[in-house]
């Protein structure tokens, strides 16, 4: 095994270890991780949107409350409390799914580069092998989550696989651009 392929496979093992560690957290700890990323996002959103404090048709006791409400409505987009609650709920879910895709994107990159740095037989099947590893590790990761008190979701396995597919597409585009640059400009990257 070449030194280069060892480096790439070591990167894949370390990425798999990170995925395993994140999957070992129970539901509450996992939510805390998501909230650490979500809170700055919510802060940005709260600068753009305001939450409706007075409902249409409600009795307003004084003129100041009407003025404050109308100034908020002019300066920001207004959401009802129910809409804001949905934004908070779905932002956490989206962050979690993006994290799934990102980690499996990195895992697949390392696997592709590792298989491509081996001999011709491995190189020929590198995409298939990398995606198969991505899929199988995603499936075992979901099973592992059952033992931490979390749920296993088939959709998460396919989200993981989507991260791998995006990695394949991006590496293919980079490889195609590199070939095009070498062919037409005699420029080696």
């Amino acid at each position: 095994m070449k030194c280069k392929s060892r480096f790439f496979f070591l990167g894949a093992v370390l990425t798999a270890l990170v995925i395993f560690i994140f999957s070992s957290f129970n539901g509450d700890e996992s939510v805390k991780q998501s909230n650490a990323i979500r809170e700055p996002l919510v802060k940005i959103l709260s600068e753009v949107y305001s939450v409706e404090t007075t409902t249409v048709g409600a009795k307003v006791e004084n003129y100041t409350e009407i003025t404050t409400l109308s100034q908020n409505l002019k300066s920001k987009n207004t959401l009802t409390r129910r809409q804001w609650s949905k934004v908070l709920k779905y932002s956490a879910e989206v962050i979690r799914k993006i994290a799934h895709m990102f980690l499996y994107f990195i895992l697949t990159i390392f696997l592709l580069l590792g298989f491509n740095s081996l001999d011709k037989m491995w190189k020929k099947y590198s995409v298939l092998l990398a995606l198969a590893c991505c899929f199988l590790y995603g499936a075992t990761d979901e099973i592992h989550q059952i033992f931490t008190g979390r749920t296993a979701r088939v959709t998460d396995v396919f989200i993981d696989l989507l991260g791998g597919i995006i990695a394949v597409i991006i590496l293919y585009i980079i490889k195609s651009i590199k070939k095009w640059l070498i062919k037409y400009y005699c420029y080696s990257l």
Side-chain angles (χ1 to χ4, degrees), residues 18 22 29 46-47 55 65 69 77 86-87 98-99 105-106 114 135 148 163 170 188-189:
V18 168
F22 282 140
E29 292 169 331
S46 66
E47 292 173 7
T55 56
E65 194 174 334
L69 178 61
N77 298 315
K86 284 183 180 180
V87 166
I98 289 172
F105 172 89
I106 299 298
F135 178 79
T148 65
I170 289 175
S188 178
L189 295 176

Side-chain angles (χ1 to χ4, degrees), residues 104-106 108-109 112 162-172:
Y104 282 85
F105 172 89
I106 299 298
T108 305
I109 295 262
L112 275 169
L162 179 61
I165 291 168
I166 291 170
V168 169
I169 291 168
I170 289 175
L171 280 181
Y172 178 78

Side-chain angles (χ1 to χ4, degrees), residues 113-129:
L113 294 173
F115 287 128
N116 275 324
S117 64
L118 296 174
D119 62 26
K120 270 188 175 179
M121 185 193 80
W122 292 101
K123 198 173 189 174
K124 183 177 179 181
Y125 298 106
S126 63
V127 171
L128 182 64
L129 288 168

Side-chain angles (χ1 to χ4, degrees), residues 8-147:
F8 293 131
F9 287 123
L10 176 63
V13 168
L14 291 175
T15 305
L17 182 63
V18 168
I19 293 168
F20 181 83
I21 290 169
F22 282 140
S23 293
S24 297
F25 295 137
N26 66 29
D28 293 337
E29 292 169 331
S30 182
V31 167
K32 285 179 187 174
Q33 289 175 336
S34 297
N35 285 343
I37 296 169
R38 185 180 74 162
E39 285 174 6
L41 176 66
V42 168
K43 186 177 179 183
I44 292 167
L45 288 174
S46 66
E47 292 173 7
V48 177
Y49 295 97
S50 65
V51 179
E52 187 177 84
T53 55
T54 307
T55 56
V56 176
K59 260 189 172 177
V60 178
E61 296 299 322
N62 60 37
Y63 179 75
T64 311
E65 194 174 334
I66 295 171
T67 308
T68 306
L69 178 61
S70 64
Q71 286 172 350
N72 273 347
L73 292 175
K74 287 178 185 174
S75 65
K76 294 183 177 183
N77 298 315
T78 305
L79 297 175
T80 64
R81 289 175 191 232
R82 188 177 200 178
Q83 288 171 325
W84 185 249
S85 176
K86 284 183 180 180
V87 166
L88 295 178
K89 178 185 174 190
Y90 292 121
S91 65
E93 196 66 26
V94 167
I95 287 168
R96 295 169 81 84
K97 300 312 174 195
I98 289 172
H100 268 266
M101 282 177 43
F102 178 74
L103 287 170
Y104 282 85
F105 172 89
I106 299 298
L107 177 66
T108 305
I109 295 262
F110 278 125
L111 289 169
L112 275 169
L113 294 173
F115 287 128
N116 275 324
S117 64
L118 296 174
D119 62 26
K120 270 188 175 179
M121 185 193 80
W122 292 101
K123 198 173 189 174
K124 183 177 179 181
Y125 298 106
S126 63
V127 171
L128 182 64
L129 288 168
L131 289 177
C133 289
C134 178
F135 178 79
L136 291 172
Y137 194 71
T140 58
D141 178 50
E142 289 303 310
I143 293 167
H144 170 240
Q145 286 181 17
I146 294 171
F147 298 104

